[in-house]
Amino acid sequence: MKKRSSNIELLRITAMIMIIAYHLFLHCIKAQLTDSGSIAAPENDCFCHPYFSKRLCILALISPMGQAGNAIFLMISGYFMAHKDSIDLTKISKKLLLQLGFAAMLLGLSSISLYTNIHPFPPRLIPFSVFNSLAWFVGYYFIVMVTAKVFLNQFLNKLDRKNYLMFLLVLFSLLQFGWSAIILSNLCGGLDVIATGIFLYSLGGYIRKYNPFENIRLWAVLAVILLTDLIVIGNFYIQTASNILEYDAAGGGAFIQSIPEYANNHLFPLLLGIAVFELFRRIKLPRNGVINFIGASTFMVYLLHDNEFVYKAWCRQNWITLLHENVISFLMIYIIWILITFSAGSLSYCIFLLGGRLLKFCKPLTLKRAEANAEKASPEKDAKI
Protein backbone atom coordinates (compact mmCIF):
# COMPACT_ATOMS: atom_id res chain seq x y z
CA MET A 1 0.00 0.00 0.00
CA LYS A 2 1.52 3.32 -1.06
CA LYS A 3 2.01 6.02 1.54
CA ARG A 4 0.21 9.27 0.81
CA SER A 5 1.73 12.66 1.61
CA SER A 6 -0.88 14.45 3.70
CA ASN A 7 0.17 17.93 2.53
CA ILE A 8 -0.44 16.87 -1.08
CA GLU A 9 -3.75 15.23 -0.14
CA LEU A 10 -4.74 18.50 1.52
CA LEU A 11 -3.82 20.17 -1.76
CA ARG A 12 -6.13 17.75 -3.63
CA ILE A 13 -8.96 18.70 -1.29
CA THR A 14 -8.26 22.41 -1.80
CA ALA A 15 -8.12 21.99 -5.59
CA MET A 16 -11.47 20.16 -5.60
CA ILE A 17 -13.05 22.86 -3.44
CA MET A 18 -11.79 25.42 -5.98
CA ILE A 19 -13.38 23.41 -8.81
CA ILE A 20 -16.73 23.09 -7.01
CA ALA A 21 -16.69 26.83 -6.27
CA TYR A 22 -16.04 27.52 -9.95
CA HIS A 23 -18.79 25.19 -11.19
CA LEU A 24 -21.31 26.71 -8.77
CA PHE A 25 -20.37 30.14 -10.13
CA LEU A 26 -20.36 29.10 -13.80
CA HIS A 27 -23.51 27.00 -13.97
CA CYS A 28 -25.66 28.83 -11.46
CA ILE A 29 -24.57 32.27 -10.25
CA LYS A 30 -23.28 33.50 -13.62
CA ALA A 31 -26.41 32.13 -15.30
CA GLN A 32 -28.61 34.09 -12.89
CA LEU A 33 -26.52 37.20 -13.50
CA THR A 34 -26.66 37.11 -17.31
CA ASP A 35 -29.68 35.01 -18.36
CA SER A 36 -32.54 37.17 -19.63
CA GLY A 37 -35.17 34.96 -18.03
CA SER A 38 -33.43 35.14 -14.67
CA ILE A 39 -32.95 38.90 -14.92
CA ALA A 40 -36.70 39.30 -15.51
CA ALA A 41 -37.43 37.72 -12.12
CA PRO A 42 -38.45 40.16 -9.35
CA GLU A 43 -35.48 41.88 -7.67
CA ASN A 44 -32.99 39.88 -9.74
CA ASP A 45 -31.87 42.68 -12.02
CA CYS A 46 -30.03 44.56 -9.26
CA PHE A 47 -26.68 44.45 -11.09
CA CYS A 48 -28.05 45.16 -14.57
CA HIS A 49 -26.94 48.78 -14.60
CA PRO A 50 -23.91 50.39 -16.31
CA TYR A 51 -21.56 50.70 -13.34
CA PHE A 52 -18.67 48.78 -11.82
CA SER A 53 -19.89 46.82 -8.78
CA LYS A 54 -17.24 45.99 -6.21
CA ARG A 55 -19.37 43.09 -4.99
CA LEU A 56 -19.02 41.35 -8.33
CA CYS A 57 -15.27 41.25 -7.75
CA ILE A 58 -16.01 38.16 -5.65
CA LEU A 59 -17.27 36.41 -8.78
CA ALA A 60 -14.31 37.66 -10.80
CA LEU A 61 -11.94 36.06 -8.27
CA ILE A 62 -13.80 32.73 -8.49
CA SER A 63 -13.71 32.70 -12.31
CA PRO A 64 -10.13 31.26 -12.73
CA MET A 65 -10.43 28.78 -9.85
CA GLY A 66 -11.72 25.85 -11.90
CA GLN A 67 -8.84 25.97 -14.39
CA ALA A 68 -6.35 26.47 -11.55
CA GLY A 69 -7.78 23.39 -9.80
CA ASN A 70 -7.42 21.35 -13.00
CA ALA A 71 -3.81 22.52 -13.29
CA ILE A 72 -3.07 21.42 -9.72
CA PHE A 73 -4.36 17.89 -10.33
CA LEU A 74 -2.18 17.47 -13.43
CA MET A 75 0.86 18.80 -11.57
CA ILE A 76 0.26 16.38 -8.70
CA SER A 77 0.21 13.47 -11.17
CA GLY A 78 3.45 14.63 -12.77
CA TYR A 79 5.05 15.20 -9.37
CA PHE A 80 4.53 11.56 -8.39
CA MET A 81 4.66 9.81 -11.77
CA ALA A 82 6.90 11.65 -14.26
CA HIS A 83 10.07 10.01 -12.91
CA LYS A 84 8.73 6.47 -13.25
CA ASP A 85 9.99 4.12 -15.94
CA SER A 86 6.53 2.61 -16.33
CA ILE A 87 2.94 3.65 -15.62
CA ASP A 88 0.27 1.04 -14.88
CA LEU A 89 -2.50 2.09 -17.27
CA THR A 90 -4.51 -1.00 -16.28
CA LYS A 91 -4.74 0.26 -12.70
CA ILE A 92 -5.60 3.79 -13.82
CA SER A 93 -8.25 2.56 -16.28
CA LYS A 94 -9.80 0.31 -13.66
CA LYS A 95 -10.04 3.16 -11.15
CA LEU A 96 -11.56 5.59 -13.64
CA LEU A 97 -14.05 3.11 -15.12
CA LEU A 98 -15.27 1.72 -11.81
CA GLN A 99 -15.85 5.13 -10.26
CA LEU A 100 -17.44 6.43 -13.47
CA GLY A 101 -19.82 3.47 -13.52
CA PHE A 102 -20.73 3.89 -9.86
CA ALA A 103 -21.32 7.63 -10.24
CA ALA A 104 -23.52 7.11 -13.31
CA MET A 105 -25.60 4.48 -11.50
CA LEU A 106 -25.94 6.61 -8.38
CA LEU A 107 -26.99 9.71 -10.34
CA GLY A 108 -29.45 7.70 -12.42
CA LEU A 109 -31.06 6.04 -9.39
CA SER A 110 -31.21 9.37 -7.54
CA SER A 111 -32.93 10.98 -10.52
CA ILE A 112 -35.56 8.24 -10.63
CA SER A 113 -36.15 8.36 -6.88
CA LEU A 114 -36.51 12.14 -6.64
CA TYR A 115 -38.61 12.41 -9.78
CA THR A 116 -40.97 9.74 -8.44
CA ASN A 117 -41.22 10.84 -4.81
CA ILE A 118 -40.51 14.58 -4.60
CA HIS A 119 -42.72 16.40 -7.10
CA PRO A 120 -42.14 19.91 -5.68
CA PHE A 121 -38.48 19.43 -6.62
CA PRO A 122 -38.48 17.95 -10.13
CA PRO A 123 -34.78 17.23 -10.80
CA ARG A 124 -32.99 17.25 -14.12
CA LEU A 125 -33.08 13.55 -14.94
CA ILE A 126 -29.67 11.95 -15.48
CA PRO A 127 -29.77 8.82 -17.69
CA PHE A 128 -27.48 5.89 -16.96
CA SER A 129 -25.86 6.42 -20.37
CA VAL A 130 -24.22 9.55 -18.91
CA PHE A 131 -21.38 7.13 -18.10
CA ASN A 132 -19.91 8.00 -21.52
CA SER A 133 -19.98 11.76 -20.99
CA LEU A 134 -20.05 12.30 -17.24
CA ALA A 135 -16.99 14.55 -16.96
CA TRP A 136 -14.70 15.95 -19.65
CA PHE A 137 -11.69 16.05 -17.32
CA VAL A 138 -11.59 12.25 -17.16
CA GLY A 139 -10.74 11.94 -20.85
CA TYR A 140 -8.30 14.86 -20.59
CA TYR A 141 -6.47 13.26 -17.68
CA PHE A 142 -6.42 9.82 -19.28
CA ILE A 143 -4.93 11.09 -22.55
CA VAL A 144 -2.14 12.76 -20.59
CA MET A 145 -1.50 9.48 -18.72
CA VAL A 146 -1.44 7.50 -21.97
CA THR A 147 1.00 10.04 -23.43
CA ALA A 148 3.18 9.68 -20.33
CA LYS A 149 3.15 5.90 -20.67
CA VAL A 150 3.87 5.80 -24.40
CA PHE A 151 6.72 8.30 -24.63
CA LEU A 152 6.60 11.34 -22.32
CA ASN A 153 8.15 9.79 -19.20
CA GLN A 154 10.91 8.17 -21.22
CA PHE A 155 11.58 11.48 -22.99
CA LEU A 156 11.63 13.52 -19.76
CA ASN A 157 13.96 11.11 -17.98
CA LYS A 158 16.55 11.48 -20.75
CA LEU A 159 16.70 15.26 -20.42
CA ASP A 160 19.24 17.07 -18.32
CA ARG A 161 18.11 20.09 -16.32
CA LYS A 162 18.90 22.62 -19.06
CA ASN A 163 17.01 20.75 -21.80
CA TYR A 164 14.14 19.90 -19.47
CA LEU A 165 13.72 23.60 -18.70
CA MET A 166 13.94 24.46 -22.40
CA PHE A 167 11.20 21.92 -23.17
CA LEU A 168 8.94 23.49 -20.54
CA LEU A 169 9.60 27.04 -21.75
CA VAL A 170 8.97 26.15 -25.41
CA LEU A 171 5.73 24.34 -24.58
CA PHE A 172 4.61 27.18 -22.32
CA SER A 173 5.40 29.72 -25.06
CA LEU A 174 3.37 27.76 -27.62
CA LEU A 175 0.41 27.89 -25.25
CA GLN A 176 0.75 31.59 -24.41
CA PHE A 177 1.39 33.04 -27.87
CA GLY A 178 -2.08 33.57 -29.27
CA TRP A 179 -1.41 32.52 -32.85
CA SER A 180 0.53 29.34 -31.96
CA ALA A 181 -2.24 28.31 -29.54
CA ILE A 182 -4.80 28.80 -32.31
CA ILE A 183 -2.68 26.68 -34.67
CA LEU A 184 -2.61 23.87 -32.07
CA SER A 185 -6.38 24.06 -31.67
CA ASN A 186 -6.94 24.11 -35.45
CA LEU A 187 -4.64 21.15 -36.04
CA CYS A 188 -6.87 19.04 -33.84
CA GLY A 189 -9.75 20.15 -31.65
CA GLY A 190 -8.61 20.17 -28.03
CA LEU A 191 -4.91 19.79 -28.88
CA ASP A 192 -4.15 23.02 -27.02
CA VAL A 193 -5.79 21.55 -23.91
CA ILE A 194 -3.79 18.32 -24.23
CA ALA A 195 -0.59 20.36 -24.66
CA THR A 196 -1.51 22.26 -21.47
CA GLY A 197 -1.91 18.95 -19.62
CA ILE A 198 1.45 17.70 -20.88
CA PHE A 199 3.09 20.96 -19.78
CA LEU A 200 1.59 20.76 -16.28
CA TYR A 201 2.42 17.07 -15.88
CA SER A 202 6.00 17.73 -17.01
CA LEU A 203 6.26 20.76 -14.72
CA GLY A 204 5.21 18.62 -11.74
CA GLY A 205 8.00 16.19 -12.57
CA TYR A 206 10.50 19.03 -12.95
CA ILE A 207 9.57 20.49 -9.55
CA ARG A 208 10.08 17.13 -7.85
CA LYS A 209 13.39 16.46 -9.61
CA TYR A 210 15.05 19.87 -9.38
CA ASN A 211 13.06 21.89 -6.79
CA PRO A 212 13.41 25.12 -8.84
CA PHE A 213 11.57 27.31 -6.32
CA GLU A 214 13.78 26.29 -3.39
CA ASN A 215 15.35 29.74 -2.98
CA ILE A 216 12.09 31.65 -3.34
CA ARG A 217 10.78 32.86 0.01
CA LEU A 218 7.31 32.02 1.22
CA TRP A 219 6.16 35.64 1.11
CA ALA A 220 7.06 35.76 -2.61
CA VAL A 221 4.84 32.72 -3.30
CA LEU A 222 1.98 34.38 -1.42
CA ALA A 223 2.68 37.61 -3.31
CA VAL A 224 2.23 35.78 -6.64
CA ILE A 225 -1.20 34.58 -5.52
CA LEU A 226 -2.18 38.06 -4.33
CA LEU A 227 -0.85 39.76 -7.45
CA THR A 228 -2.66 37.30 -9.71
CA ASP A 229 -5.93 38.02 -7.86
CA LEU A 230 -5.38 41.77 -8.21
CA ILE A 231 -4.78 41.41 -11.95
CA VAL A 232 -7.95 39.29 -12.26
CA ILE A 233 -9.94 42.08 -10.55
CA GLY A 234 -8.28 44.66 -12.80
CA ASN A 235 -9.21 42.58 -15.82
CA PHE A 236 -12.82 42.56 -14.64
CA TYR A 237 -12.73 46.34 -14.22
CA ILE A 238 -11.39 46.88 -17.75
CA GLN A 239 -13.98 44.56 -19.28
CA THR A 240 -16.81 46.28 -17.38
CA ALA A 241 -15.53 49.73 -18.43
CA SER A 242 -15.46 48.58 -22.07
CA ASN A 243 -19.02 47.29 -21.79
CA ILE A 244 -20.15 50.61 -20.30
CA LEU A 245 -18.58 52.53 -23.20
CA GLU A 246 -20.34 50.27 -25.71
CA TYR A 247 -23.59 50.67 -23.79
CA ASP A 248 -23.32 54.48 -23.87
CA ALA A 249 -22.42 54.45 -27.57
CA ALA A 250 -25.48 52.31 -28.31
CA GLY A 251 -27.72 54.81 -26.52
CA GLY A 252 -28.96 52.57 -23.73
CA GLY A 253 -30.90 49.31 -23.75
CA ALA A 254 -30.26 46.24 -21.63
CA PHE A 255 -26.95 46.18 -19.78
CA ILE A 256 -25.54 42.73 -18.93
CA GLN A 257 -22.70 42.47 -16.44
CA SER A 258 -19.86 40.37 -17.81
CA ILE A 259 -17.42 38.34 -15.72
CA PRO A 260 -14.18 37.46 -17.60
CA GLU A 261 -13.62 33.74 -18.16
CA TYR A 262 -10.34 31.87 -18.58
CA ALA A 263 -9.27 28.81 -20.57
CA ASN A 264 -7.05 26.06 -19.17
CA ASN A 265 -4.00 27.45 -21.00
CA HIS A 266 -4.49 31.07 -19.90
CA LEU A 267 -1.71 32.64 -17.88
CA PHE A 268 -3.60 33.66 -14.73
CA PRO A 269 -5.09 30.27 -13.75
CA LEU A 270 -1.73 28.64 -14.55
CA LEU A 271 0.11 31.08 -12.28
CA LEU A 272 -2.47 30.63 -9.55
CA GLY A 273 -2.31 26.82 -9.79
CA ILE A 274 1.52 26.74 -9.74
CA ALA A 275 1.73 29.12 -6.76
CA VAL A 276 -0.88 27.19 -4.74
CA PHE A 277 0.90 23.92 -5.58
CA GLU A 278 4.23 25.30 -4.32
CA LEU A 279 2.56 26.73 -1.21
CA PHE A 280 1.12 23.36 -0.14
CA ARG A 281 4.28 21.48 -1.16
CA ARG A 282 6.13 23.45 1.51
CA ILE A 283 3.71 22.56 4.30
CA LYS A 284 5.25 20.17 6.81
CA LEU A 285 2.36 17.95 7.79
CA PRO A 286 2.56 14.57 9.56
CA ARG A 287 0.71 11.70 7.97
CA ASN A 288 -3.00 12.10 8.69
CA GLY A 289 -5.35 9.25 7.86
CA VAL A 290 -8.47 11.42 7.72
CA ILE A 291 -6.93 13.93 5.31
CA ASN A 292 -5.55 11.11 3.17
CA PHE A 293 -8.93 9.38 2.94
CA ILE A 294 -10.76 12.59 2.05
CA GLY A 295 -8.07 13.37 -0.51
CA ALA A 296 -8.58 9.95 -2.09
CA SER A 297 -12.31 10.70 -2.47
CA THR A 298 -11.84 13.82 -4.63
CA PHE A 299 -12.29 12.02 -7.97
CA MET A 300 -15.70 10.74 -6.86
CA VAL A 301 -16.57 14.23 -5.62
CA TYR A 302 -15.71 15.57 -9.06
CA LEU A 303 -17.85 13.00 -10.88
CA LEU A 304 -20.92 13.48 -8.71
CA HIS A 305 -21.12 17.27 -8.61
CA ASP A 306 -20.49 18.33 -12.21
CA ASN A 307 -23.89 17.60 -13.79
CA GLU A 308 -27.32 19.11 -14.38
CA PHE A 309 -28.80 17.22 -11.45
CA VAL A 310 -26.65 19.12 -8.94
CA TYR A 311 -26.85 22.40 -10.86
CA LYS A 312 -30.61 22.45 -10.38
CA ALA A 313 -30.23 21.98 -6.63
CA TRP A 314 -27.74 24.87 -6.51
CA CYS A 315 -30.01 27.13 -8.54
CA ARG A 316 -32.83 26.94 -6.03
CA GLN A 317 -30.98 29.73 -4.22
CA ASN A 318 -31.40 33.28 -5.55
CA TRP A 319 -27.70 34.09 -5.52
CA ILE A 320 -27.79 37.47 -7.22
CA THR A 321 -30.29 39.06 -4.85
CA LEU A 322 -28.43 37.54 -1.90
CA LEU A 323 -25.09 38.98 -3.09
CA HIS A 324 -26.69 42.39 -3.61
CA GLU A 325 -28.29 42.48 -0.16
CA ASN A 326 -25.61 40.95 2.08
CA VAL A 327 -22.09 39.90 1.06
CA ILE A 328 -21.42 38.03 4.32
CA SER A 329 -24.60 35.96 3.99
CA PHE A 330 -23.74 35.25 0.36
CA LEU A 331 -20.28 33.96 1.28
CA MET A 332 -21.57 31.88 4.19
CA ILE A 333 -24.29 30.18 2.13
CA TYR A 334 -21.86 29.76 -0.77
CA ILE A 335 -19.34 27.98 1.47
CA ILE A 336 -22.08 25.84 3.03
CA TRP A 337 -23.23 24.64 -0.41
CA ILE A 338 -19.63 23.82 -1.37
CA LEU A 339 -19.11 21.83 1.83
CA ILE A 340 -22.43 19.99 1.41
CA THR A 341 -21.51 19.10 -2.17
CA PHE A 342 -18.04 17.91 -1.19
CA SER A 343 -19.39 15.91 1.77
CA ALA A 344 -22.00 14.20 -0.40
CA GLY A 345 -19.27 13.15 -2.82
CA SER A 346 -17.04 11.84 -0.01
CA LEU A 347 -19.96 9.90 1.48
CA SER A 348 -20.63 8.39 -1.94
CA TYR A 349 -16.98 7.34 -2.08
CA CYS A 350 -17.45 5.50 1.23
CA ILE A 351 -20.45 3.69 -0.25
CA PHE A 352 -18.37 2.88 -3.34
CA LEU A 353 -15.64 1.30 -1.18
CA LEU A 354 -18.18 -0.65 0.87
CA GLY A 355 -19.75 -1.88 -2.36
CA GLY A 356 -16.34 -3.03 -3.56
CA ARG A 357 -15.79 -5.00 -0.36
CA LEU A 358 -19.24 -6.54 -0.67
CA LEU A 359 -18.48 -7.64 -4.22
CA LYS A 360 -15.24 -9.25 -3.03
CA PHE A 361 -17.22 -11.07 -0.34
CA CYS A 362 -19.67 -12.32 -2.97
CA LYS A 363 -16.94 -13.26 -5.42
CA PRO A 364 -17.01 -16.99 -4.55
CA LEU A 365 -20.73 -17.04 -5.40
CA THR A 366 -20.21 -15.69 -8.91
CA LEU A 367 -16.85 -17.17 -9.97
CA LYS A 368 -15.76 -20.79 -10.20
CA ARG A 369 -13.04 -21.86 -7.82
CA ALA A 370 -9.59 -22.06 -9.33
CA GLU A 371 -8.99 -25.42 -7.62
CA ALA A 372 -12.07 -26.91 -9.27
CA ASN A 373 -10.93 -25.68 -12.67
CA ALA A 374 -7.51 -27.20 -12.09
CA GLU A 375 -9.06 -30.56 -11.18
CA LYS A 376 -11.17 -30.48 -14.31
CA ALA A 377 -8.14 -29.74 -16.44
CA SER A 378 -5.93 -32.44 -14.90
CA PRO A 379 -7.55 -35.52 -16.59
CA GLU A 380 -7.13 -33.91 -20.00
CA LYS A 381 -3.50 -33.18 -19.19
CA ASP A 382 -2.92 -36.76 -18.07
CA ALA A 383 -4.52 -38.06 -21.27
CA LYS A 384 -2.13 -36.00 -23.36
CA ILE A 385 0.82 -37.40 -21.41
Side-chain angles (χ1 to χ4, degrees):
M1 184 177 180
K2 67 177 182 180
K3 294 182 179 180
R4 291 177 174 267
S5 303
S6 293
N7 62 324
I8 300 298
E9 296 308 309
L10 187 61
L11 175 61
R12 288 185 201 271
I13 295 168
T14 302
M16 185 50 59
I17 287 174
M18 291 168 67
I19 290 172
I20 295 173
Y22 169 73
H23 285 153
L24 203 163
F25 153 74
L26 180 68
H27 298 291
C28 188
I29 301 175
K30 183 175 180 290
Q32 291 182 1
L33 180 67
T34 60
D35 180 70
S36 58
S38 174
I39 293 172
E43 300 181 0
N44 213 35
D45 62 345
C46 37
F47 292 108
C48 296
H49 307 286
Y51 69 93
F52 176 77
S53 172
K54 294 178 181 178
R55 298 192 176 198
L56 292 181
C57 290
I58 296 172
L59 305 185
L61 289 172
I62 296 169
S63 185
M65 283 188 179
Q67 292 74 18
N70 292 340
I72 289 169
F73 277 109
L74 266 298
M75 290 176 67
I76 290 173
S77 294
Y79 188 77
F80 287 110
M81 301 174 69
H83 66 282
K84 293 184 177 180
D85 295 328
S86 179
I87 294 177
D88 190 350
L89 287 180
T90 301
K91 183 179 179 181
I92 294 174
S93 301
K94 182 179 177 182
K95 174 186 176 180
L96 297 179
L97 289 170
L98 287 176
Q99 294 198 39
L100 268 172
F102 177 81
M105 290 293 293
L106 187 59
L107 287 169
L109 292 173
S110 299
S111 295
I112 293 171
S113 175
L114 289 176
Y115 183 78
T116 305
N117 299 314
I118 308 180
H119 293 292
F121 173 50
R124 184 69 63 89
L125 296 178
I126 304 293
F128 297 114
S129 58
V130 77
F131 170 83
N132 291 321
S133 58
L134 189 56
W136 77 273
F137 184 81
V138 180
Y140 171 38
Y141 176 82
F142 189 67
I143 289 175
V144 174
M145 292 303 104
V146 171
T147 303
K149 166 71 174 178
V150 173
F151 72 88
L152 184 58
N153 273 21
Q154 186 178 5
F155 170 73
L156 294 176
N157 289 329
K158 289 181 179 179
L159 298 176
D160 58 23
R161 181 167 186 168
K162 180 180 178 181
N163 287 315
Y164 201 143
L165 181 59
M166 182 178 67
F167 170 71
L168 289 173
L169 288 174
V170 169
L171 194 52
F172 182 74
S173 299
L174 285 172
L175 293 168
Q176 296 308 309
F177 299 149
W179 196 72
S180 56
I182 292 173
I183 291 296
L184 286 175
S185 181
N186 289 341
L187 282 174
C188 177
L191 184 58
D192 55 327
V193 179
I194 300 302
T196 303
I198 292 173
F199 165 75
L200 291 165
Y201 177 91
S202 303
L203 178 60
Y206 184 82
I207 291 172
R208 180 183 180 118
K209 190 173 184 179
Y210 296 113
N211 194 13
F213 306 126
E214 182 179 10
N215 294 326
I216 296 178
R217 297 184 184 275
L218 178 61
W219 71 263
V221 177
L222 294 171
V224 170
I225 297 173
L226 178 60
L227 181 61
T228 302
D229 288 338
L230 290 175
I231 293 173
V232 165
I233 292 174
N235 196 36
F236 167 54
Y237 178 83
I238 291 170
Q239 184 162 323
T240 303
S242 298
N243 291 340
I244 292 172
L245 290 174
E246 292 177 6
Y247 175 83
D248 292 338
F255 183 83
I256 305 296
Q257 292 281 1
S258 179
I259 308 295
E261 293 187 35
Y262 302 91
N264 284 279
N265 66 322
H266 281 175
L267 178 62
F268 302 136
L270 289 178
L271 283 177
L272 184 61
I274 293 169
V276 172
F277 180 88
E278 178 62 19
L279 179 64
F280 277 80
R281 197 177 71 89
R282 296 183 178 202
I283 295 176
K284 304 298 182 183
L285 191 65
R287 188 178 181 279
N288 187 297
V290 175
I291 291 176
N292 292 355
F293 180 83
I294 297 174
S297 73
T298 50
F299 181 60
M300 184 64 73
V301 174
Y302 177 79
L303 293 176
L304 286 174
H305 89 272
D306 189 16
N307 55 78
E308 296 288 341
F309 183 81
V310 176
Y311 302 162
K312 186 149 190 178
W314 287 343
C315 287
R316 297 186 73 194
Q317 174 71 51
N318 187 331
W319 294 100
I320 301 305
T321 303
L322 181 62
L323 177 59
H324 183 262
E325 292 178 349
N326 193 313
V327 174
I328 301 300
S329 295
F330 170 85
L331 290 174
M332 288 180 61
I333 294 174
Y334 189 68
I335 292 170
I336 288 171
W337 268 109
I338 292 171
L339 294 178
I340 289 173
T341 304
F342 192 103
S343 300
S346 294
L347 179 60
S348 300
Y349 181 69
C350 295
I351 298 171
F352 168 75
L353 293 180
L354 289 173
R357 292 188 178 184
L358 181 61
L359 288 176
K360 284 184 179 180
F361 180 77
C362 297
K363 191 175 180 180
L365 301 176
T366 57
L367 297 177
K368 296 179 181 179
R369 292 174 59 191
E371 295 83 356
N373 292 339
E375 289 177 4
K376 278 188 176 181
S378 60
E380 297 177 5
K381 185 176 180 182
D382 293 341
K384 287 180 182 179
I385 295 174

